[in-house]
Amino acid sequence: MIIAIHSRGVTAEDALAEALGREISLNEGLTTEPGGTVVAHSNRLDHYPDEDETWSSAAWANHLAGPSLEHPLASGPDGDRRAILHVTAHMHPLDRELNHAEWSEIGYRIARVAGIAPPGDDQACQWIAVQAQPGRLDVIANLIRLDGTWSAQPRRLLQALVAEARSIEADLLLHSSHRQDYVRQDPAPSLGHVVSPRVPTATGPLAGILRQLAAEQSGPIAAVRQLVEEVGRQAASLPGDQTDAAARDLFWAARRMYGLQEQLGDIASRLQPPAAPAAAFTPGRPVQAPATSRVAAR
């Protein structure tokens, strides 16, 4: 699972359109029913949609923007009034198809770790989790709480979300997209560290080449993948729609590289020749020691 934090916005329209993969509309309804697009949401919804009413995507965007309109002077610790938080979780390409309850669980857990949905807090933020695109969940929230104060988030929000993503993967038996290297604290390796694989001579040349290419941590594809991830994280931290789009594309490119690594590893396993059978040992037959051993014993 890849976690991406988008640049904060003033309104929720752009974030919701990004989550849906299309423009929001007054005519398109987003339901909260099982199988619907909104898989999780804050506990308090004004005019909660019931069986006779389905909110349009525009209505959901207005709902998320409500606290900003009610408390126009609220601002974060740094004075920033851009209150719309947008977090995206991209699943591993080999993950199984999740059901509504599992998507909902992921949404609630991301919301809790992000500090927007503390358990038992009836004045917490308004937020929704949207599952509209394959293998992807978007959590969109207004950081202004219902009481007009700014939500308290973890100091290292990205690291906290990544740690929770690892826990979610373990609990739901999902693939890990990076095995602890997707959000790195150390600088990504440079392209100068990418070396040509050596052809092994003892375990099958073709399988050996593929195993070196597919090495998850040290192979040449891994080095390039880590560079792509690092550039994607830097792009995601910059303001502007174009950098958000570039970051998203880079994360998808990294996912495809990881899928290529796994595919090459699988092919290498099929090409690996079977191990030679061990030499038979005949009981009672003396085994002659090597010459070097006989000399040492004298």
Side-chain angles (χ1 to χ4, degrees), residues 12-244:
E13 283 88 349
D14 291 341
L16 186 52
E18 168 69 20
L20 295 173
R22 55 189 179 273
E23 294 297 323
I24 64 173
S25 169
L26 290 170
N27 300 320
E28 178 189 16
L30 303 181
T31 70
T32 59
E33 298 298 322
T37 304
V38 179
V39 296
H41 53 76
S42 48
N43 292 331
R44 296 181 60 178
L45 293 180
D46 47 345
H47 308 297
Y48 184 85
D50 54 25
E51 296 179 356
D52 299 325
E53 180 184 4
T54 299
W55 280 5
S56 67
S57 55
W60 282 107
N62 289 336
H63 167 72
L64 292 170
S68 297
L69 299 176
E70 294 178 12
H71 308 283
L73 299 181
S75 63
D78 55 358
D80 192 346
R81 295 184 180 178
R82 294 175 298 172
I84 300 301
L85 174 71
H86 182 190
V87 177
T88 300
H90 298 279
M91 300 299 110
H92 189 281
L94 298 180
D95 274 333
R96 58 183 172 80
E97 185 175 348
L98 302 181
N99 60 38
H100 180 89
E102 289 171 322
W103 284 119
S104 179
E105 173 70 12
I106 295 173
Y108 279 113
R109 291 175 66 166
I110 289 176
R112 285 195 296 268
V113 171
I116 59 178
D121 188 347
D122 60 359
Q123 296 295 311
C125 302
Q126 293 187 167
W127 64 274
I128 61 174
V130 175
Q131 204 286 299
Q133 302 186 55
R136 167 176 175 161
L137 183 74
D138 292 82
V139 175
I140 306 171
N142 193 313
L143 294 177
I144 301 174
R145 293 161 43 88
L146 296 181
D147 58 12
T149 61
W150 198 271
S151 172
Q153 294 187 279
R155 180 180 178 185
R156 297 180 178 273
L157 177 59
L158 181 58
Q159 287 84 344
L161 289 172
V162 169
E164 183 64 16
R166 303 289 76 76
S167 178
I168 292 171
E169 290 168 350
D171 293 344
L172 297 184
L173 303 178
L174 303 177
H175 286 82
S176 179
S177 296
H178 52 36
R179 307 290 176 87
Q180 298 181 349
D181 69 336
Y182 240 81
V183 175
R184 298 165 50 92
Q185 299 302 315
D186 55 320
S190 66
L191 286 174
H193 292 165
V194 180
V195 296
S196 299
R198 295 170 296 172
V199 178
T201 58
T203 60
L206 295 179
I209 292 173
L210 293 179
R211 289 189 188 282
Q212 290 186 47
L213 289 172
E216 185 174 341
Q217 300 289 342
S218 59
I221 298 177
V224 176
R225 191 194 78 228
Q226 291 162 6
L227 278 176
V228 172
E229 295 163 4
E230 179 64 25
V231 175
R233 287 191 293 275
Q234 294 181 12
S237 66
L238 299 174
D241 295 339
Q242 293 300 320
T243 54
D244 275 350

